[in-house]
């Protein structure tokens, strides 16, 4: 770290509190699972669905790059999702060798159900906080998004890739332009896990 001793101490204090974000996400996901009757998908499948949701027509290799996974792994996940009726492959008109990925109606409905349940869980919890706490959380969101950008840039530099994608939450960018939630393993946290 570089900076004054006081600044470094403050930063270290924040670093040690950031795992709270993951804990909030885990507890919220458990609450959503209790409300939704459908079978939960593995996290890796959810990440792929969220990526395709945010980027309809994306290819398997691009999904792998966005999620920073091995292409063969994503290809296997995509195959499982196609067989489950949650993804549809379509041939690229300009390159017949390439396949484009799209959510099926079932996948869209499933993601929407989970988003609605997640919204309800988090809204109910936030309403139990006082207005001052809600204001603090609201005020922190832009800073958390900027932190996410900084971490993305550092991660991209390490990997030698400029891609700063993630697994977006119900059509949002990982920066949280709609609800700011996405799945575990992605670059933000979420309560909405199908």
């Amino acid at each position: 770290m570089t900076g004054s001793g006081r600044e470094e101490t403050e930063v270290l204090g924040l670093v040690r509190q950031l795992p709270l974000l993951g804990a909030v996400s885990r507890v919220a996901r458990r609450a959503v699972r209790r409300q939704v009757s459908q079978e939960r998908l593995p996290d890796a499948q959810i990440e792929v669905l969220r990526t395709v949701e945010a980027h309809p027509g994306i290819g398997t290799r691009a999904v792998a790059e966005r999620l920073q996974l091995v292409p063969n792994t994503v290809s296997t996940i995509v195959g499982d999702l196609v067989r489950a009726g949650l993804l549809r492959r379509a041939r690229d008109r300009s390159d017949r060798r390439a396949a484009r990925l799209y959510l099926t109606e079932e996948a869209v409905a499933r993601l929407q159900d989970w988003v609605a349940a997640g919204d309800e869980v988090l809204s109910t919890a936030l309403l139990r906080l006082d207005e001052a706490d809600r204001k603090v959380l609201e005020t922190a969101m832009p800073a958390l998004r900027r932190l996410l950008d900084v971490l993305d840039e550092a991660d991209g530099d390490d990997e030698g890739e400029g891609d700063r994608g993630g697994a977006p939450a119900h059509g949002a960018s990982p920066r949280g332009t709609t609800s700011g939630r996405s799945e575990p393993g992605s670059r933000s946290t979420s309560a909405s896990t199908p």
Side-chain angles (χ1 to χ4, degrees):
M1 272 193 294
T2 58
S4 70
R6 179 179 173 196
E7 187 178 38
E8 288 183 5
T9 300
E10 289 173 358
V11 166
L12 189 56
L14 279 173
V15 165
R16 292 184 175 160
Q17 292 182 62
L18 284 175
L20 282 172
L21 298 175
V24 167
S25 179
R26 285 189 300 276
V27 171
R29 281 195 306 274
R30 284 197 299 268
V32 171
R33 283 184 213 131
R34 287 192 295 269
Q35 283 196 8
V36 178
S37 59
Q38 57 189 246
E39 182 182 344
R40 185 175 178 274
L41 298 173
D43 289 342
Q45 289 187 2
I46 295 162
E47 290 182 355
V48 169
L49 289 175
R50 294 284 192 206
T51 303
V52 174
E53 180 186 33
H55 306 280
I58 193 171
T60 301
R61 181 168 293 281
V63 172
E65 289 172 2
R66 286 187 174 277
L67 297 179
Q68 298 180 355
L69 295 173
V70 177
N72 287 348
T73 300
V74 173
S75 183
T76 300
I77 293 168
V78 165
D80 291 343
L81 289 168
V82 168
R83 283 187 291 280
L86 298 173
L87 273 186
R88 175 176 62 83
R89 282 190 189 109
R91 287 285 160 212
D92 188 317
R93 291 179 182 176
S94 61
D95 180 358
R96 301 299 293 168
R97 296 168 298 169
R100 299 292 166 203
L101 302 173
Y102 300 91
L103 295 182
T104 63
E105 289 183 16
E106 180 183 347
V108 170
R110 190 165 181 165
L111 291 175
Q112 288 174 346
D113 287 348
W114 278 87
V115 167
D119 287 350
E120 183 179 339
V121 164
L122 288 173
S123 295
T124 300
L126 285 167
L127 286 169
R128 292 180 63 186
L129 298 179
D130 62 33
E131 187 176 349
D133 282 343
R134 288 195 302 272
K135 191 65 178 170
V136 167
L137 290 171
E138 182 181 355
T139 303
M141 292 304 157
L144 288 172
R145 289 188 189 106
R146 288 190 294 273
L147 175 61
L148 180 63
D149 286 337
V150 169
L151 289 170
D152 264 352
E153 287 170 6
D155 191 42
D157 291 344
D158 290 345
E159 298 296 322
E161 297 176 5
D163 182 15
R164 295 170 50 196
H170 46 89
S173 78
R175 309 302 167 259
T177 54
T178 46
S179 72
R181 295 191 317 249
S182 67
E183 291 308 316
S186 68
R187 306 206 194 265
S188 60
T189 56
S190 174
S192 303
T193 306

